[in-house]
Each structure stands twice: as structure tokens, then as C-alpha cells.
Amino acid sequence: MGTGKRRLLTAAVTVVCAVTVLAAPGTAFAAPKPTPGSSAAPSASPTPPPGKDLEKVRKKLDGLYHDAAVATDAYNAAEEAAKQQSARIVDLAKKIVEGQKKLDGLKNQAGAAARAQYRNGGLPPTAQFLLSDDPQQFIDGAGTVLNGQRATSKLIVEMTRTQKDLQTYADDASAEWQKLEAGRKAKAAAKKRITQQITEAEQLESRLEKKEKERLAKLEEEAAHKAQTAWLDTGILKEVSGKASEQGKEAVEFATAQLGKPYVWGAEGPRSYDCSGLTSQAWAKAGHPIPRTSQEQWKQLRHVDVKDMRPGDLIIYFDDASHVAMYVGDGAIIHAPRPGRTVTVAGAGSMPILGVVRPDA
């Protein structure tokens, strides 16, 4: 088998492998690493004995669910990248098929030219002139021969260029395949971490007695209320008076309609959501698509001062941008909090605010 055929076979195998991986569950790019840990969300600590110190239990749960949120953002980023990767693989496959058809056509032309030369005996022009019974006829055809030589030269150049293009597509497909494989592993690792964190949190909560669970819920409410009160005491709402844009109103209406639906990590509707799944779908419904993850929303969308925020804007929480909610006015947000909870209304200051972004700036 010639070198050219081997290269094209390699390209075809690469594309088939890549498409096979795309069809398999859990395929994605490697997710970008989140900003190092948040000072606002405590990290996991040794499991405290249930019933002994519920405040420690609360902090432990906060840490577990925060770590799960970070891993969820990584998982979602991998999902988003996988969609782009899929489009790239399909595009490469189409280019390889089209390029192969073009190369086959050029080879047919080259073959026809070679056969024509064979019929002429492969003699050089001078010999053909000397042996010709009608020299004048040969001279008249000399221009045609020259044009044929030029056409052959162009044919060779075009074949060479097409072969180079096919090799480039094959190299690109191979590189994309490697990214897909790395992404598959990274996504599997993120999923494992999410499962571990949530399972540990659920096990910790399951060890609590009914009265302890009730008291824990009360402590969580008190902590959120304390944070919200401190935020309001700064007088921030006296400065916040922005009115929602038309698209912002649509986004708020969509988010409001999702109240009561369960939080599920990696979900983006219509029956369940995670935090960024809710905000991204709300703005997609409003006709303005935004990045899928809270970290990318923070990176890519326009930042605005808290005092300038308006309904529909997104509030990003924690130092690592691991949570996002939609501001709906009057100091309130709608968000998907964490596993075991539903989409709900909460105080905008109930969690440490990193900043505010505006999708329709």
C-alpha cells in the first residue's frame, strides 16, 4: 500500500474512532481548572459526631456541597466543550471525504493524460516531428501539446496541494481524538468527585435524628438571614434602582416559572436544574445565549457594580465563582441552591458575593 493511501486510511480510522467516542456517554474535553479554593466556602473537615455540634455539621455540609459545586462546574465545562468538539470532528470528517473525492478525480485526470502519452508512444516532440507524415499537421498541433503540458503541470500542483490538505485534516483529527480521550478521563474524574461529595453529605445528614435535622435547618436559615441582614445594612438597596431590560424581564419570568423544581447537578431543564443550568437556560429563552458554567459566565460576561445591577443580571458567588443566581429585584435572587433543594427565592446577600455580570450589556 502506498504512503498516500496509508495516510488516508489513518485519517479515516481516526475520524471513525473520534465519532465513536462522541457517540459514547460521558465524552468531553478536559475541563478548565477552577480558580483555587474559595475563602467564603469552608473546605471539608473531619466528620463531626451528629448531635454534638450542629454548627460544625452545617459547616461540614457547606464544604462538601461547595466542593461538589466546583466539580459540577468542571463537569459542565466538559459537556460544553464536547459539543464544540463534536462539531469540529464532523467538520473534519466532511473535509476528508470531500478531499478524497477531489483527489480521486485528479488521479483520474492524471491517468487519462498518461494513457494519452502512451498512445503517442511516449516520444519527445522532436522525434514526433521527424517521423510525422505531415509535418505541418504536427506544427499546428504544437500549441495543443504545449497547453497539455501546462495543464499537466497544474494538475500535479493541484494533486500535491490536495494531498497536503488531506494530511493536515488527518493530523487535526488525530489531535482532536487525543483531546477527546483526555476530556473523557477528566469528565469521569469530575463525576466521581461530585458523587463522592454528595454521597458523603447525604450520609452525614442521614445520621442526624429528626430534631437535629430540624435544628440544622434552623441554623442554615439563621446563617443566611444573618448574611442577608448584614448586606442590607450596608444600605446597598438604596443605590440599586436599575430597571430590567426587555430581555432581562423574559429571563426573570423564565426563572420564576422554574420555582420548586429540584436541583440536579449537570441538569439544564426542563424538569431540573443546577445553578448555571438555570441561568443559562433563562437567558437562552430570552434570546441571548450565554456560557453554560458560572465560572465562564463570570469570565466572559460584562461586569457591573452591585449598585448598578438590575433584574435579570447574574450574581456570582464565592471566590472561585462556583455558584450563580439571578437577581430579581428588591434584594432577592432566584437560584438552584444544591442537591436536595429546589429552585427557590433567597436573599441576594445570603452568600458571599464575588460580583455581578450582565448578559445583555
Side-chain angles (χ1 to χ4, degrees):
M1 182 182 294
T3 302
K5 290 185 177 179
R6 283 199 299 271
R7 289 176 177 172
L8 290 172
L9 178 59
T10 300
V13 170
T14 301
V15 172
V16 170
C17 289
V19 173
T20 300
V21 170
L22 283 170
T27 300
F29 272 151
K33 295 182 179 179
T35 306
S38 166
S39 60
S43 59
S45 57
T47 304
K52 299 299 183 181
D53 191 336
L54 289 178
E55 181 59 24
K56 287 185 178 180
V57 173
R58 185 186 70 80
K59 291 181 178 180
K60 169 70 174 179
L61 289 172
D62 282 351
L64 290 170
Y65 283 124
H66 171 262
D67 289 347
V70 172
T72 297
D73 220 41
Y75 181 93
N76 290 338
E79 280 284 292
E80 192 71 8
K83 295 176 184 177
Q84 299 174 8
Q85 194 74 6
S86 175
R88 174 64 175 156
I89 289 294
V90 171
D91 183 58
L92 283 170
K94 289 180 179 178
K95 287 182 177 179
I96 288 176
V97 171
E98 292 172 358
Q100 185 60 65
K101 288 181 179 179
K102 181 178 180 181
L103 185 60
D104 290 343
L106 292 171
K107 286 181 177 180
N108 288 336
Q109 292 182 43
R115 289 191 293 273
Q117 184 180 17
Y118 178 78
R119 286 194 296 270
N120 290 330
L123 296 175
T126 301
Q128 292 183 37
F129 176 77
L130 293 174
L131 297 174
S132 174
D133 294 333
D134 188 351
Q136 184 59 46
Q137 182 180 359
F138 174 80
I139 292 174
D140 293 341
T144 301
V145 172
L146 181 59
N147 289 336
Q149 290 175 340
R150 290 174 178 171
T152 301
S153 178
K154 290 181 179 179
L155 180 62
I156 293 173
V157 170
E158 187 65 20
M159 285 180 64
T160 301
R161 182 186 300 114
T162 301
Q163 288 174 327
K164 287 182 178 180
D165 287 344
L166 282 173
Q167 184 59 54
T168 298
Y169 300 150
D171 292 343
D172 287 348
S174 178
E176 299 294 355
W177 160 252
Q178 293 176 7
K179 290 178 182 178
L180 279 169
E181 178 61 15
R184 182 190 65 78
K185 294 178 180 179
K187 185 177 177 183
K191 181 177 181 179
K192 181 178 180 180
R193 182 164 179 76
I194 294 168
T195 303
Q196 288 176 337
Q197 299 301 308
I198 294 177
T199 298
E200 187 175 347
E202 290 174 342
Q203 289 176 345
L204 177 56
E205 290 181 292
S206 70
R207 293 167 58 192
L208 298 174
E209 296 178 359
K210 182 179 179 180
K211 290 184 178 180
E212 289 175 322
K213 290 180 179 179
E214 292 173 353
R215 177 57 183 157
L216 180 62
K218 186 67 174 177
L219 287 175
E220 292 176 350
E221 291 177 8
E222 289 174 355
H225 178 71
K226 182 178 179 181
Q228 174 73 354
T229 299
W231 183 68
L232 293 175
D233 285 347
T234 64
I236 187 65
L237 284 190
K238 294 179 181 178
E239 300 181 55
V240 177
S241 58
K243 295 183 178 180
S245 64
E246 288 304 313
Q247 285 186 314
K249 290 178 182 178
E250 292 182 40
V252 170
E253 288 175 1
F254 178 89
T256 302
Q258 313 314 309
L259 289 171
K261 293 184 178 181
Y263 176 104
V264 174
W265 65 267
E268 47 187 334
R271 295 182 177 85
S272 57
Y273 297 88
D274 62 19
C275 67
S276 57
L278 176 63
T279 55
S280 60
Q281 287 301 306
W283 273 99
K285 182 67 175 180
H288 194 95
I290 62 174
R292 169 65 175 88
T293 70
S294 58
Q295 290 178 354
E296 288 304 311
Q297 289 170 8
W298 174 244
K299 289 178 183 177
Q300 297 185 35
L301 301 180
R302 179 191 168 191
H303 292 201
V304 297
D305 291 337
V306 175
K307 64 181 179 61
D308 296 326
M309 68 181 176
R310 64 193 188 192
D313 287 348
L314 306 181
I315 303 180
I316 309 296
Y317 292 95
F318 303 112
D319 292 347
D320 52 9
S322 57
H323 190 68
V324 61
M326 179 175 292
Y327 183 65
V328 295
D330 296 327
I333 57 171
I334 289 178
H335 71 145
R338 63 170 175 79
R341 303 293 173 80
T342 61
V343 177
T344 188
V345 176
S350 58
M351 296 170 286
I353 296 175
L354 177 60
V356 179
V357 295
R358 178 163 297 161
D360 61 339

